[in-house]
């Protein structure tokens, strides 16, 4: 697999693929989460000691009547801390491979699988399919994900303009060049994919041609002049023999 990049020469330009990773703007102050978590842990410890201390050592106190309640109150506080700390928006990624949501794993929505990008309720909402072809919706609310929303709109207008329905006067911030964390991406996986034009399975990597804009994959013998995303594929077409 290490030779992949070399063998793909000509199939895909050696342009490094990248994506930006956006953490949500926290809806709760992190200090609130720590206070609840710490208080909960303290109470659970105290409650447990009062309840079970006598079993462990002679010096331990006899169980207090209140001990189970202290234990329970501690558990509730710790639970609140976990809830506040994790109910935030997921991490979003925007880049050459499309969009992605980080939520117990990374689920990707390639550019070519995006069916609609719209602006509603101060949110950039993207509907389409994930890379396995399963329906997927991704929300980038202005409140918690201002830069992800701005970058999705900016990239989608260039890559898949036909499906973008975000008014140019939408209250989006400018997409800042240094927003998010920049991550390198692996080259696109093309073997086993179906040619978007002929349906033919790509079984040999050098046969693949990848649209630089939406990353649709074509067999080299079936590259159309224009990709369904609107990009010209003239450069990828096999030269007439
Ligand atoms: Zn394309």
């Amino acid at each position: 697999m290490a030779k992949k990049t070399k063998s793909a020469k000509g199939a895909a330009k050696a342009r490094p693929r990248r994506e930006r990773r956006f953490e949500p703007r926290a809806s709760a102050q992190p200090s609130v989460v720590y206070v609840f978590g710490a208080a909960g842990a303290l109470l659970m410890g105290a409650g447990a000691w009062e309840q079970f201390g006598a079993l462990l050592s002679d010096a331990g106190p006899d169980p207090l009547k209140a001990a189970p309640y202290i234990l329970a109150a501690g558990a509730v506080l710790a639970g609140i801390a976990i809830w506040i700390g994790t109910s935030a928006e997921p991490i979003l990624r925007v880049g050459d491979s499309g969009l992605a949501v980080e939520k117990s794993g990374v689920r990707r929505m390639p550019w070519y699988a995006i069916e609609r990008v719209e602006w509603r309720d101060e949110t950039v909402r993207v509907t389409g399919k994930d890379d396995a072809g399963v329906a997927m919706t991704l929300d980038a609310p202005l409140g918690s994900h201002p830069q992800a929303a701005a970058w999705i709109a900016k990239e989608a207008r260039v890559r898949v303009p036909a499906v973008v329905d975000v008014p140019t006067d939408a209250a989006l911030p400018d997409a800042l060049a240094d927003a998010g964390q920049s991550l390198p991406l692996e080259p696109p996986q093309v073997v086993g994919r179906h040619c978007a034009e002929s349906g033919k399975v790509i079984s040999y990597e050098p046969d693949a041609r990848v649209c630089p804009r939406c990353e649709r994959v074509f067999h080299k013998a079936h590259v159309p002049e224009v990709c369904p995303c609107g990009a010209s594929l003239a450069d990828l077409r096999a030269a007439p023999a």
Side-chain angles (χ1 to χ4, degrees), residues 131-154:
D131 50 9
V134 178
M136 175 172 176
T137 301
L138 180 152
D139 281 337
L142 201 53
S144 55
H145 266 308
Q147 280 298 312
W151 273 99
I152 291 170
K154 179 186 165 127

Side-chain angles (χ1 to χ4, degrees), residues 211 213-216 227-231 233:
C211 171
R213 236 164 67 168
C214 72
E215 297 209 327
R216 261 188 189 81
C227 179
C229 76
L233 299 179

Side-chain angles (χ1 to χ4, degrees), residues 9-213:
K9 195 178 144 200
K13 273 177 227 154
R15 182 177 61 98
R17 296 162 85 238
R18 297 199 78 81
E19 66 183 348
R20 289 168 194 270
R21 180 175 184 269
F22 297 96
E23 298 202 13
R25 197 182 269 177
S27 48
Q29 294 290 330
S31 55
V32 174
V33 177
Y34 295 137
V35 168
F36 274 91
L42 265 174
L43 286 180
M44 281 198 286
W49 173 245
E50 281 156 12
Q51 178 72 13
F52 304 115
L55 302 175
L56 300 177
S57 91
D58 292 339
D62 286 335
L64 274 182
K65 277 203 180 118
Y69 302 104
I70 295 174
L71 192 57
V76 167
L77 283 184
I80 289 174
I82 292 168
W83 178 70
I84 297 177
T86 58
S87 62
E89 301 281 329
I91 290 169
L92 300 179
R93 301 192 192 182
V94 183
D96 288 306
S97 73
L99 311 177
V101 177
E102 263 184 55
K103 207 191 217 169
S104 61
V106 178
R107 193 174 175 209
R108 297 189 172 278
M109 185 168 6
W111 291 112
Y112 61 82
I114 292 178
E115 285 152 14
R116 194 169 162 81
V117 180
E118 57 192 326
W119 173 248
R120 57 155 73 171
D121 303 332
E122 305 282 282
T123 295
V124 171
R125 163 164 289 193
V126 186
T127 43
K129 295 195 169 69
D130 67 9
D131 50 9
V134 178
M136 175 172 176
T137 301
L138 180 152
D139 281 337
L142 201 53
S144 55
H145 266 308
Q147 280 298 312
W151 273 99
I152 291 170
K154 179 186 165 127
E155 291 269 316
R157 280 178 181 136
V158 173
R159 293 173 183 271
V160 286
V163 299
V164 179
D165 186 16
V166 177
T168 42
D169 62 351
L172 283 168
D174 287 334
L176 302 175
D178 61 351
Q181 175 192 5
S182 180
L183 299 174
L185 279 164
E186 297 278 305
Q189 185 58 48
V190 293
V191 172
R193 298 261 306 270
H194 290 262
C195 166
E197 181 74 6
S198 65
K200 206 169 175 170
V201 174
I202 311 284
S203 52
Y204 181 52
E205 188 166 343
D207 287 349
R209 298 291 181 270
V210 180
C211 171
R213 236 164 67 168

